Structure formats: structure tokens, C-alpha cells
Amino acid sequence: LLAVFPPRATLVGPVRVYLETFGCQMTELDSALVRGHLAAMGYRFVEDHAQAQVVLYTTCSVRELAEQKAYSRIGEVGVRKREGEEIILGVLGCMAERDGLDLLRRHPQVALLCGPAELDRLPQLIDNVRRARAAATAEPRGEGSIPAVRNASSRAVALAGNRSRRSATLSAAEDGLESLDLSRAFDPDARENPWSAYVRITRGCNKFCTYCVVPYTRGAEVHRPPEHIVEECRRLVDSGAVEITLLGQTVNHYRYTHGPAVTLDGRAAPQVGPGLQAFRDGSRPAARTTTFADLLHLIHERVPGLRRLRFVTSYPRDFGDDVRAVMRDSPRICRYLHAPAQSGSDPVLARMNRGYTVAEYEAFVERTFAALPDASLAGDIIVGFPGETDADFDATCSLVRRLPFKNNFIFKYSPRPGTVAIDRFADDVPDEVKRWRNNALLAIQSETSARVHAGWVGRTVDVLFDAVRERPAQGAVRAAPGTPVTLRVRGEDPALQAAPSAWQAVGRTRGDLIVAVDLP
């Protein structure tokens, strides 16, 4: 038996792991939690995938480019495995959830899949694959052996599948992901940037935009207990973080009602959100409810060592004046809003199922700058969505010219498997038109960005410098400990003009404006 099933200690050991992330900030946080969890169990992370025994790719499904990069890496590992290397290849996140077993059929080099709702099970999956392979290696290799069967037995899967929304509702009290959040690594060396960290406050999405697969891959909105979030922020600050970004697919939908008899190891448990209607009927939340505004105030007051508090992504329609008031009255909360408009055309917004009109989006922006004159605004825009006419695109261009967007992440529409749009609408905008519109809108956004940035010239602002790089920017950015400083931003500084340096410090203002300063 020992020959076939070696003791656990011989299986775990100092396993070398390479982890790479493709996609959004939520995916980056997933990777950070995975890294901390595995590191605490004795796995050792390496920077070179060629040295790794376990290769993991965490990928979202919202952006086609992220998936293309992941599939390219999967192909490279497949070549190495065909050449005889022993590698355990795992795919994590939304792409694994959406493609499921079909991904295993198309890419036999993949040994394990783990969806975003099952990341707490990753160590078990890796261990199961290693045990199965050890057992397969110990099997007699005489006549009649079936390598394909042994290969299939050494693959592992943990996916919520189509049950994701239902299971989120039924088993919030047994939320393994909450355990993963609570057990995250607070060692600054376990974070990509020791001075900066993400904290998840809500998972999933209830909006069902027709172009997006997230409601199906990450499930219904589930909100974490506020005391867990505050404690996590405090421990991150104690470990050296000076900036924390709160994450949620719709972060301003956070709402936690206290009192239900649901516990997690004797503590408050994650809670399913109330749904969109709770934000539409104008009613006040129930007593003993912590709203998003309340949560921001709690963190600001109870974690005084935190220098900067950010949050993404905001949904414009349900962004309340109570949140603006807390931002106005809390100097360490950054006046930065990432609130995607997605389009400047009402017909396109309706087909996207965004739930607001252009006028409502503009009213959101107007109220924000009335309360927070020093705010910065950023967003996302999709060009070439099905049915988008020249007039629709012109309306989007007009919106980008009118509103003070610091920046927009602009994408060409691509049909994503598992979304409503891929079945409901024909992808009828030619690719060459999408490319032209994408480039044209990028040029307009550059003009808008220049105007926004020019408005800050001459002001005194706080800048968190978090990187040092060669000038001009070439090669890898070298990270240095983050140090908040005060800098007078000038359009032209004769001293810098006269003595250019080979190095620059790069940082961001509280409004997420990028600042580069030549070093002596």
C-alpha cells in the first residue's frame, strides 16, 4: 500500500509553484489569496515557470485578450509535457468555471480546474493529482496497460457549474471562500506590492449585463461581514500596507443586515445580497444594516494607520449621496471613482441591459463633482456592440468629450461564450469597423485625459511613489517600498529639464493620476 499510496509528507514537500494572472483586479485578488494559502502550506513560489513543478494560470472570462494569453501559455506547457517534463498544469478562475470539462477535453495537458467559488479547495486538488500520478507511476506497466486511463484518473476538477447562483443562496453559511479570505497571508512578501493590497467585500453580480459572463461564473452577490473586512484591513496595515482597494463587481451594492442566525465557526457569515430592487424603491435599509457608506466610514475610523482607501467597481445608477458624503468627510478615502458608462447611446445601453440611460449617467457624474470637486472619474467603454450604428458611436464620442474622464478602458466587443448577447444578438459590426472605432475613441479619450491632467498642473498633491524605473521606460519596473510624499506638480521644471536622469520614480495621486519624477 505504501508503494502505491506514499505518505502525504512525501507528496507535499517543498513543491515549486509558478502562478500567473490574466485579467481583472478581482482575478488578481484570487491569485493573491491562492498564493498566500499555498505558501502557508509549504509550497514555494518561483518566478520562472521552467523551474516549477506546478504551473497555475488564473484567468477571467470578461476580456478576450486575457483568455488568448492564457491559452497561449497552456499551449507552451503542452509542448513541455510532450517533451517529457513532469508538470501539473492548473487553470483557475472564471475561464475554468465557464469552459469546464470541455477545456480538459480540448487541452489534455491541463491536470486540474478550479472555479472562483472553489479556490479554497485548490490545495486538495493539487494533492489529489499528485497522489493519483504517484499511484499511476507505481502501477505495473506490462502488456495491456492503458496510459489514457491513468492520465484521466490524475485530473481533478472543482467547479460550481450551473449551480453557482443557487448554491450561493443555499450555502452562504458554509462559504469556503470566506475561510480563504480570513486565512489570507499578511506577510508583505506574499503580496506583489508590499505597500498595497486588495480586500474583497462582495462577490458575484446580480446585474446580468448581456455581454458579461460574471453572474454565471461567480454567482449571485454575496457580501462579507463588515467586522471581517475591518479586521482584514487592520492586519494588512499592521503588515505594512499603506493603500487598500476594496473590490466588488458592483462594490456600492454592499449591504449587510446583522442578526440572522447564520454563523461561520461561531462568527458572522457571508450573506446573499438583497437584489437590485432594494436600490430602486427608495426605501431605507432595515435597521442594523451596514451599507457601503457605513463600511467606508468604519474602515476609515477604525483603521487610522491606513493612508489610502480606494474601491472599484461602482455601478452609476445606485451610487448614493451617502457614499459621496462619507468620501467628502473622510480625508483618507481617495476621491476616485471607476464607474463604467460602457456606451453613450441609449439604444446600445438598453441592449446591454445596463439599467440606466445616458442622462442618468451624466446626472451621476454631475452629483459626484458637485459633492467632490477634486474627484477623478474613470470607466470602461465597449465599441462595436451588436447593432451599434455610426450615430450610436458618435453619441459615445460625444459623451467622452463632454465628461471629465481621467481615462477609459476601451475595448472592441467580442462575443463571449456563456453570455446572453452571443445568443440574442448577431455580431453585425465588421471587425475593421470595430478597430477603427476603437482607435478613434482612444484618440478622443487622449484629448479628454490631457484636459483633465492639465487642470491639476500647479496644485499641491500627495503622491504615493511605488516604483522606480529606467528612463525612458524600458525593461521591467523595479518595485521599491511605497513612500507617501508631498510633491508640487509643475508643467515644466527647469531643474529637471537641465539635468535629465537615467531613473524615474513613478507614483499616483489620490485621484489615480500618474506622476513620474526624475531622480538625482
Side-chain angles (χ1 to χ4, degrees), residues 442-513:
L442 283 171
I444 294 170
Q445 178 59 60
S446 294
E447 297 171 359
T448 300
S449 297
R451 289 197 303 273
V452 171
H453 284 71
W456 286 87
V457 172
R459 301 193 199 187
T460 299
V461 296
D462 286 335
V463 176
L464 171 61
F465 286 106
D466 58 2
V468 174
R469 71 183 182 191
E470 290 185 74
R471 180 183 188 272
Q474 56 187 8
V477 174
R478 296 176 56 197
T483 306
V485 302
T486 298
L487 172 74
R488 179 126 182 120
V489 181
R490 297 180 174 89
E492 292 187 13
D493 188 327
L496 297 181
Q497 300 269 334
S501 167
W503 293 89
Q504 288 182 327
V506 183
R508 290 172 296 126
T509 70
R510 293 183 184 275
D512 209 48
L513 301 175

Side-chain angles (χ1 to χ4, degrees), residues 2-38:
L2 286 176
V4 178
F5 301 106
R8 182 179 179 86
T10 65
L11 287 172
V12 178
V15 179
R16 299 184 302 277
V17 181
Y18 174 81
L19 175 63
E20 190 169 359
T21 307
F22 308 96
C24 60
Q25 291 164 312
M26 195 72 73
T27 308
E28 291 177 15
L29 175 58
D30 287 343
S31 287
L33 295 175
V34 164
R35 179 182 293 270
H37 195 192
L38 293 180

Side-chain angles (χ1 to χ4, degrees), residues 1 93 137 167 206 215 449 508:
L1 288 175
T137 301
S167 63
N206 291 342
S449 297
R508 290 172 296 126

Side-chain angles (χ1 to χ4, degrees), residues 10 56-57 72 113 138 154 185 245 263 268 308 325 339 372 403-404 430 443 455 457 462 514:
T10 65
L56 303 174
Y57 296 130
S72 175
L113 297 178
S154 65
T245 301
T263 61
R308 290 185 173 186
L372 305 166
L403 299 185
V457 172
D462 286 335
I514 298 174

